Amino acid sequence: MSSKLSPIINADDLLKLNNESEIVLIDARAGINAQENFKAEHLKGARYVDLNKDLAAVEKDPANGGRHPLPSFSKFSKVLSKLGISPSSHVVIYDDKNGSNAAARFWWMLRAAGHEKVQVLNGGLQEAVKKGFAVSSEIENFQKTENYPVTEWKLKTADIEDVEKARKSSEKIVIDVRDKNRFDGLTEPLDLIAGHIPGAVNVPFSENLDENGLFKTSKVLAEKYTEVLKNKSSENTIVHCGSGVTACHTLLALDYAGIEIPKLYTGSWSEWSRNDREMALKKPE
């Protein structure tokens, strides 16, 4: 392994690592009955993190920050303490959606807090089970740590005004990682209005994965995003999704490809569509 830790870890390597060293294994699956499913079966030794309660401040109005705005620094510090994570911890995160859901979001948040030793499990829960990683229904006992020092987001973020300017600039790019049907306004399962931000380009996060649900190679991803970005810098690139969660899957893929992590628009379509902003909507039949 190179001096710079890869943001992706394969299940085979996790099995070896789990036998040889102390890691903090985090289950970040989300959605209906996520915690109950975790309690029923999870990778042995894993600790559960809740997207809505731990990785976001969902009590806020979605029109001001979207459905999953970032929590306060003090709240996130307490979350990391509760999970037993210290600045020296080697953290490996998985979910049941190929890392495309809260696993990627938690990875981004840890990196944004300045934590370097964090990886996402390639293929998620299903791949680890397939490779023979032990599962358990026992709740793990572990020591909490002192509050993790979180004082700023060290990775770049964008707000709604930044996106407004970027979408109109030929020197900048706004990438929407939702699936094409949502981008085209044909369907919208979560937000009030179907459509997309005018000027944004659609690069679905699912294209980061191969037919087996594993990340494509770093070389393939580098070629893909070099073409998408067309020499635009990370400072001039904004990535978003519905609420700032799956966008992190593409930020993870970019980091894996060796491309500097661009700005995350946390509010994403859930914020944009609830404000008086121009929207590209489905045209009447």
Side-chain angles (χ1 to χ4, degrees):
M1 186 176 290
S2 64
S3 57
K4 182 183 183 297
L5 195 66
S6 170
I8 303 294
I9 183 170
N10 292 322
D12 288 336
D13 293 326
L14 176 62
L15 278 167
K16 297 174 185 175
L17 185 66
N18 197 48
N19 293 329
E20 297 172 2
S21 62
E22 190 71 26
I23 62 169
V24 177
L25 185 60
I26 301 293
D27 186 309
R29 75 184 90 183
I32 299 174
N33 300 323
Q35 190 163 11
E36 288 75 12
N37 292 337
F38 166 79
K39 290 177 180 177
E41 184 177 90
H42 53 263
L43 297 186
K44 185 174 177 57
R47 308 166 190 184
Y48 179 73
V49 69
D50 189 296
L51 170 62
N52 291 332
K53 295 178 181 177
D54 299 327
L55 306 182
V58 296
E59 69 276 10
K60 295 181 179 179
D61 179 3
N64 183 23
R67 286 183 280 106
H68 290 106
L70 293 170
S72 67
F73 299 133
S74 61
K75 177 181 177 179
F76 190 47
S77 175
K78 292 174 183 177
V79 167
L80 296 181
S81 171
K82 180 184 72 173
L83 291 170
I85 295 173
S86 69
S88 62
S89 297
H90 183 172
V91 183
V92 175
I93 313 165
Y94 71 89
D95 60 30
D96 57 355
K97 301 289 189 300
N98 305 113
S100 68
N101 202 267
R105 167 71 170 236
F106 193 26
W107 167 85
W108 183 93
M109 291 174 69
L110 276 170
R111 286 290 304 275
H115 197 95
E116 293 293 334
K117 293 177 68 176
V118 55
Q119 297 175 291
V120 171
L121 177 59
N122 199 3
L125 172 65
Q126 295 87 341
E127 182 67 12
V129 172
K130 178 181 174 182
K131 293 292 186 178
F133 199 105
V135 296
S136 173
S137 60
E138 297 179 6
I139 302 302
E140 310 298 333
N141 295 314
F142 55 90
Q143 294 292 321
K144 293 184 179 180
T145 56
E146 295 182 3
N147 280 359
Y148 194 112
V150 183
T151 58
E152 64 176 327
W153 299 122
K154 297 182 179 180
L155 296 181
K156 304 179 184 78
T157 59
D159 61 23
I160 195 168
E161 296 302 335
D162 294 326
V163 177
E164 182 67 68
K165 295 174 184 176
R167 73 181 188 87
K168 298 175 180 178
S169 172
S170 61
E171 298 179 355
K172 300 182 179 182
I173 184 172
V174 178
I175 299 174
D176 184 332
V177 311
R178 296 175 302 159
D179 67 64
K180 188 176 186 299
N181 282 345
R182 287 182 74 185
F183 181 84
D184 289 343
L186 300 178
T187 183
E188 181 44 65
L190 298 169
D191 290 310
L192 305 178
I193 300 173
H196 65 266
I197 298 172
V201 298
N202 186 216
V203 187
F205 74 87
S206 57
E207 294 179 1
N208 298 325
L209 305 174
D210 64 18
E211 64 276 8
N212 298 312
L214 301 173
F215 275 87
K216 294 175 180 176
T217 67
S218 57
K219 180 180 179 181
V220 168
L221 290 170
E223 291 173 350
K224 173 185 177 65
Y225 284 106
T226 296
E227 175 63 26
V228 170
L229 296 175
K230 301 187 188 310
N231 297 318
K232 292 179 176 64
S233 68
S234 62
E235 185 67 31
N236 288 334
T237 303
I238 298 174
V239 179
H240 80 89
C241 55
S243 67
V245 177
T246 53
C248 295
H249 190 270
T250 289
L251 300 181
L252 175 64
L254 285 163
D255 189 49
Y256 184 46
I259 297 171
E260 186 176 359
I261 301 171
K263 294 178 179 178
L264 169 66
Y265 174 31
T266 315
S268 289
W269 179 249
S270 59
E271 178 184 51
W272 185 275
S273 61
R274 286 174 169 85
N275 284 273
D276 186 21
R277 302 283 172 166
E278 185 181 348
M279 289 179 266
L281 308 176
K282 180 185 177 184
K283 295 180 180 179
E285 296 291 342

